[in-house]
Amino acid sequence: MAKTKGVSGRRRVRFEVRAEPKSEVFVTGSFNSWDPKKKALEDKKQDGFYSGTLMLPKGTYEYKFVINGVWCADPECEEWTANEHGSLNSVIRVD
């Protein structure tokens, strides 16, 4: 799930997802040219709860998680859109 918090024209956006402990988890999207290895999420307590923060300007973004090489829509996101690969992207609006 993605959550936003304001900071000087940009917003701090926190991405969170559950996965098996010791997984390799990334968030990717229109905000980083869909680079599947650019933003790793951390499991600080090693309990399978991965999170990370990005600073994003206002706008609408599509994103996915990449968990152990598998691209996944955010199961907690309320807004999704179809993509050209026949699957869904999660959508976040940063105000």
Side-chain angles (χ1 to χ4, degrees):
M1 172 171 239
K3 301 175 185 176
T4 64
K5 183 177 181 182
V7 177
S8 64
R10 296 170 67 92
R11 300 283 191 244
R12 183 180 313 273
V13 181
R14 182 172 178 85
F15 292 90
E16 304 171 337
V17 67
R18 290 209 173 268
E20 289 294 319
K22 301 190 190 249
S23 292
E24 186 175 54
V25 180
F26 297 86
V27 63
T28 187
S30 55
F31 45 78
N32 68 5
S33 300
W34 294 97
D35 184 336
K37 298 274 187 174
K38 190 159 187 170
K39 179 59 179 173
L41 301 184
E42 296 181 51
D43 181 7
K44 291 182 180 178
K45 295 181 181 177
Q46 298 183 358
D47 61 357
F49 183 76
Y50 291 82
S51 64
T53 303
L54 290 170
M55 294 297 292
L56 298 176
K58 294 179 181 181
T60 300
Y61 302 94
E62 295 180 26
Y63 71 98
K64 284 190 144 175
F65 295 113
V66 182
I67 303 172
N68 296 323
V70 178
W71 292 61
C72 311
D74 183 345
E76 300 295 322
C77 185
E78 295 179 5
E79 186 176 355
W80 295 345
T81 188
N83 63 38
E84 66 273 11
H85 303 289
S87 63
L88 297 173
N89 293 339
S90 303
V91 176
I92 184 170
R93 297 180 194 284
V94 180
D95 298 320

